[in-house]
Amino acid sequence: MSDVESEDFGDKLGQYEGDRNEAGERHGVGKAVLPNGDIYQGQYENGKRHGQGTYRFKNGAKYVGDYYHSMKHGQGTLYYPDGSKYEGSWVEDLRQGHGVYTYPNGDTYDGEWLHHMRHGQGVYHYHETGSKFKGTWVNGKMDSAAEYIHANHRYKGNFANNYDQVEGEWREMSSTSDLKWIPKCITGLTQWKLGQETTAGGKETASAEEVARKLT
């Protein structure tokens, strides 16, 4: 779904009410109703959206946050018509840096972004089951080693096949059989502290086959 904003430079493009500088450019605080029906209300600088503002899209989407030279840049939240939203860092109209994306079904991804894609360290939380994937993403896909936290256990291992992202939602590459978890060990959550591995004495080990059966 597109979140591209319409340009609103000049009086011939839409209606504007607000402050102007000596050159007649939009400067200060104002409200613009654009020809396509979008509405921007917030700060301007030398004719461009710059500073804090709210942009309401005709399709129901809404962005609230920072602007730099008419681009989403800094901290901001974009609400999509399907109920999803992204809250976090933006760089030149792209999700980049740290941010939290909430999907329509309640799932969330909390982590790093690059060029609009999940990229870097992050945690994907499944709303329905409470399970979590914690690991590294590369260009929108979970990359190899990760942790799967479910119920009272934490599974550490590698992906044989990655999830793919299609139109902003998680889907498996083809069927459930395509996602294969290759576990290394299983530990109880009560013995695990953030940033600290379970000691060898307190570690419960299981074979790959045993853990695979628990995941199916």
Side-chain angles (χ1 to χ4, degrees), residues 1-2 23 29 41 47 56 58 100 106 115 122 167 191 196 199:
M1 178 183 56
S2 174
V29 178
Q41 186 169 4
R56 300 177 185 275
K58 183 180 179 180
V100 179
H115 298 154
E167 297 180 353
Q191 299 172 338
Q196 178 180 351
T199 60

Side-chain angles (χ1 to χ4, degrees), residues 161-180:
N161 290 281
N162 258 321
Y163 278 113
D164 198 4
Q165 183 185 16
V166 180
E167 297 180 353
E169 297 181 358
W170 285 84
R171 294 183 183 177
E172 295 169 8
M173 294 294 287
S174 58
S175 64
T176 55
S177 62
D178 285 339
L179 179 65
K180 297 180 181 178

Side-chain angles (χ1 to χ4, degrees), residues 155 183 186 205-216:
Y155 304 93
I186 175 174
T205 61
S207 67
E209 291 78 9
E210 291 172 339
V211 177
R213 283 196 296 269
K214 291 178 179 292
L215 289 172
T216 57

Side-chain angles (χ1 to χ4, degrees), residues 181-192:
W181 183 257
I182 306 175
K184 293 181 179 177
C185 65
I186 175 174
T187 61
L189 279 179
T190 56
Q191 299 172 338
W192 174 51

Side-chain angles (χ1 to χ4, degrees), residues 106-134:
D107 290 358
T108 60
Y109 169 80
D110 184 344
E112 298 175 352
W113 296 76
L114 181 66
H115 298 154
H116 243 25
M117 294 187 293
R118 293 179 291 269
H119 190 92
Q121 292 292 312
V123 177
Y124 190 96
H125 178 262
Y126 290 88
H127 174 71
E128 184 175 355
T129 63
S131 302
K132 296 180 181 180
F133 274 113
K134 179 181 179 182

Side-chain angles (χ1 to χ4, degrees), residues 51-131:
Q52 287 285 319
T54 298
Y55 193 106
R56 300 177 185 275
F57 296 82
K58 183 180 179 180
N59 64 4
K62 180 177 70 172
Y63 172 79
V64 181
D66 298 331
Y67 279 91
Y68 179 79
H69 290 179
S70 289
M71 294 181 291
K72 295 183 285 293
H73 191 94
Q75 295 295 310
T77 302
L78 181 59
Y79 302 87
Y80 293 92
D82 63 0
S84 61
K85 72 175 181 177
Y86 171 81
E87 182 176 8
S89 178
W90 295 82
V91 176
E92 297 183 353
D93 269 343
L94 299 176
R95 294 187 290 269
Q96 188 158 316
H98 179 266
V100 179
Y101 195 106
T102 302
Y103 294 85
N105 64 356
D107 290 358
T108 60
Y109 169 80
D110 184 344
E112 298 175 352
W113 296 76
L114 181 66
H115 298 154
H116 243 25
M117 294 187 293
R118 293 179 291 269
H119 190 92
Q121 292 292 312
V123 177
Y124 190 96
H125 178 262
Y126 290 88
H127 174 71
E128 184 175 355
T129 63
S131 302

